[in-house]
Amino acid sequence: MNARVAAGSVVVLLAGLSVPLPSPQLPIAPMQDSAFVWNRDSLWQAHEATFVAARTAGCADTTTTGAEVRALQQRVDSLETVTMPPALLMLDTLEARFFAVSAQVAACPAPLDDYLALQRAMGVAIKRQSRAWDITDRTTRDRLYRALYGSRAAVEEVLLQYPDQQHALQLVVDEPSAAPSAMVHGVRLRSGDILVSRGGYPTSALIARGSDFPGNFSHIGLVHIDAATQEVSVVEAHIERGVTISRAETYLADKKLRLMVLRIRADLPQVLKDPLLAHHAATTIRARTLAEHIPYDFAMNYLDPSRLFCSEVASAAYLGEGITLWTGSSTITSEGLRRWLGGFGVEHFETQEPSDLEYDPQLVVVAEWRDPALLFQDHLDNAVTDAMLEGADRGDAITFGWHQLPFARLAKGASWAMQQVGQMGPIPEGMSPAAALRNRSYSERHARLADAVRQATATWQRQHGYPPSYWTLVELARAAVAAE
């Protein structure tokens, strides 16, 4: 009889734990016209046709391509001496010519080093021009995005054609700083530098692409360097643990596909007044992390400093020193994407996306690194994510079996008990059982689609003789989604 009572109690408990929660309400979209759309498919196809023709013709003579790269470098150099409005036709011409020469370099890489130097110089020049621009203006934001994200995308299309040529680290501008420094893998870091990176997980791709301006980065950490010992540490917010402090080598050992170093400008009035401002910002957030447990902010509310998501670690630290980062906040207006992110616990869709920090004119790009061996994986993950997000706009949902919910709720209870004694449980603090199940369901579906696209890519490459472009990867991903 006792066994029957116990069994009945278990059934009742599981039935109670199986009661679904109501679907999360879809928050109101931020005030923004719409997500950025290139709408240049015919141009990309024309450039690919140029690439194929040049590749077929061979690379006996690359003087014309080399001359065009040098001519563009001279045009970029001229940006150093004048201030230009973002809508100037000359910048449109520079952009168009850069994309055109990218197709030629992809076919014949003789001027590759000069081409990469050109892209770095163009990014520096546009960033410098943007100091006089209104970053909150949509036209300006579009210009910055096309110039910085677009030129990086073009460069990577070139690099994917030549996987044996290593161009992992690019040193850009060694912005002056009085903050303590240390050399880390060929880059001189300064205390207060911001590390913007991309993880290798499906949710990393979702963070990078899930914005009105889809980007390359999914995570942010803040560098602290001890003035006496030169020990380098990184303050960052993890979904699993909240805000933590890691040694530099531990931070770098975590899987990363790419990394960019940003530094506060030396000529900002606040920095001129206090040359150690960046170091003070890093020291304060590090001290707070040592003194208290700071939970992860799943709601992505950058106005509430009691909980911090990764971007907030940097923005909260600098706000305490009088500098507001993310000039022009990030927005997420897609209804399908907001529904998905709402299911993960996100409540604020005017926020601070990691990729968007690059467009803040208060910051300078010091260096950029990408893992050449994983560059294709980066692009494939992005393409699958983009295709999945198109499905979200059509009404696709992230689902899980109802029978999984009671066990997830039991795991959540166990996680809470473990967190009381300083251990990590299977479900992170602040994440609901349903959100954890959606997270797993999303990652599993992304992995299945990525495998299908990887196989389709191998077939495509055998047929054409070269790796597919990003827009071709997206088409293959769309076909994989449709085949489900």
Side-chain angles (χ1 to χ4, degrees):
M1 186 67 178
N2 289 339
R4 291 183 178 180
V5 170
S9 298
V10 170
V11 170
V12 171
L13 175 62
L14 290 177
L17 292 173
S18 299
V19 176
L21 294 172
S23 299
Q25 289 188 331
L26 185 64
I28 299 173
M31 296 298 294
Q32 178 80 11
D33 291 338
S34 62
F36 178 89
V37 178
W38 280 100
N39 198 25
R40 307 286 295 276
D41 288 356
S42 60
L43 178 63
W44 312 142
Q45 291 162 4
H47 286 328
E48 185 164 5
T50 299
F51 158 75
V52 172
R55 188 173 180 273
T56 302
C59 300
D61 183 8
T62 60
T63 55
T64 301
T65 303
E68 175 65 358
V69 170
R70 291 190 294 274
L72 286 176
Q73 183 64 65
Q74 292 177 353
R75 182 66 67 94
V76 169
D77 291 342
S78 70
L79 297 179
E80 297 290 330
T81 59
V82 295
T83 300
M84 298 182 176
L88 193 70
L89 181 60
M90 173 186 169
L91 297 177
D92 285 335
T93 302
L94 177 63
E95 176 185 295
R97 289 176 63 182
F98 180 80
F99 285 142
V101 78
S102 297
Q104 297 287 349
V105 177
C108 299
L112 180 59
D113 289 340
D114 289 341
Y115 167 78
L116 294 175
L118 167 65
Q119 189 260 345
R120 290 195 297 273
M122 191 164 70
V124 170
I126 294 294
K127 281 278 289 180
R128 186 172 288 113
Q129 289 285 333
S130 73
R131 298 175 184 180
W133 296 348
D134 176 10
I135 307 302
T136 63
D137 177 72
R138 180 57 188 260
T139 301
T140 301
R141 183 61 179 277
D142 286 356
R143 166 67 67 197
L144 272 173
Y145 181 75
R146 295 206 318 262
L148 301 182
Y149 172 83
S151 66
R152 179 184 292 113
V155 160
E156 293 181 358
E157 289 296 329
V158 173
L159 293 178
L160 281 172
Q161 302 303 318
Y162 303 98
D164 296 333
Q165 297 202 31
Q166 298 291 312
H167 291 88
L169 177 63
Q170 296 183 6
L171 300 177
V172 185
V173 176
D174 187 13
E175 181 72 4
S177 172
S181 70
M183 290 294 294
V184 178
H185 292 283
V187 180
R188 180 162 295 280
L189 295 180
R190 297 279 181 174
S191 194
D193 283 355
I194 301 170
L195 305 179
V196 191
S197 63
R198 166 67 181 271
Y201 307 99
T203 48
S204 300
L206 179 60
I207 294 169
R209 307 304 294 173
S211 169
D212 283 347
F213 290 85
N216 297 110
F217 302 96
S218 60
H219 187 65
I220 278 180
L222 187 64
V223 173
H224 178 272
I225 300 177
D226 187 280
T229 65
Q230 281 73 57
E231 181 181 357
V232 182
S233 58
V234 181
V235 186
E236 52 183 335
H238 289 283
I239 288 175
E240 301 84 0
R241 303 189 298 275
V243 182
T244 64
I245 301 171
S246 305
R247 295 176 62 89
E249 294 305 323
T250 303
Y251 167 84
L252 293 172
D254 192 22
K255 186 176 182 181
K256 290 177 176 60
L257 306 185
R258 61 175 75 236
L259 179 66
M260 182 168 60
V261 182
L262 296 174
R263 183 173 300 157
I264 203 79
R265 278 169 42 198
D267 62 347
L268 291 181
Q270 302 94 320
V271 179
L272 292 173
K273 183 178 179 181
D274 177 8
L276 289 175
L277 181 149
H279 180 54
H280 294 156
T283 300
T284 299
I285 193 67
R286 184 178 185 275
R288 181 187 169 192
T289 304
L290 289 171
E292 64 176 286
H293 170 61
I294 309 173
Y296 189 86
D297 180 10
F298 286 94
M300 291 178 63
N301 180 10
Y302 68 92
L303 299 176
D304 178 9
S306 65
R307 298 172 177 266
L308 301 177
F309 62 96
C310 69
S311 298
E312 283 182 282
V313 170
S315 64
Y318 273 99
L319 186 61
E321 301 298 327
I323 292 180
T324 302
L325 296 180
W326 276 268
T327 305
S329 57
S330 308
T331 54
I332 303 172
T333 56
S334 161
E335 183 174 325
L337 176 56
R338 286 187 291 120
R339 187 184 302 107
W340 279 14
L341 294 179
F344 291 142
V346 177
E347 298 175 3
H348 295 266
F349 295 92
E350 184 171 342
T351 184
Q352 296 172 336
E353 292 278 3
S355 289
D356 291 344
L357 189 57
E358 181 181 8
Y359 311 121
D360 190 329
Q362 300 172 107
L363 298 167
V364 174
V365 178
V366 174
E368 185 168 355
W369 171 88
R370 56 174 67 85
D371 189 333
L374 297 177
L375 184 56
F376 175 75
Q377 178 188 328
D378 179 304
H379 283 215
L380 185 145
D381 286 347
N382 286 353
V384 170
T385 304
D386 287 353
M388 291 176 72
L389 291 177
E390 291 175 354
D393 284 335
R394 294 191 298 267
D396 290 354
I398 303 175
T399 59
F400 56 85
W402 66 269
H403 61 281
Q404 296 175 309
L405 190 56
F407 300 101
R409 285 172 168 163
L410 289 173
K412 181 63 178 179
S415 298
W416 178 86
M418 295 172 68
Q419 288 154 10
Q420 305 314 300
V421 294
Q423 298 182 14
M424 288 192 302
I427 297 181
E429 176 188 17
M431 177 181 283
S432 72
L437 290 172
R438 291 188 186 98
N439 189 305
R440 186 173 69 179
S441 176
Y442 174 86
S443 296
E444 290 173 348
R445 183 181 179 220
H446 187 284
R448 290 195 303 271
L449 289 168
D451 284 342
V453 175
R454 194 173 288 107
Q455 294 175 28
T457 297
T459 301
W460 194 98
Q461 187 164 342
R462 285 195 300 270
Q463 294 172 345
H464 295 81
Y466 61 91
S469 61
Y470 184 74
W471 48 92
T472 300
L473 281 178
V474 173
E475 289 297 333
L476 295 176
R478 288 168 176 161
V481 170
E484 282 189 318

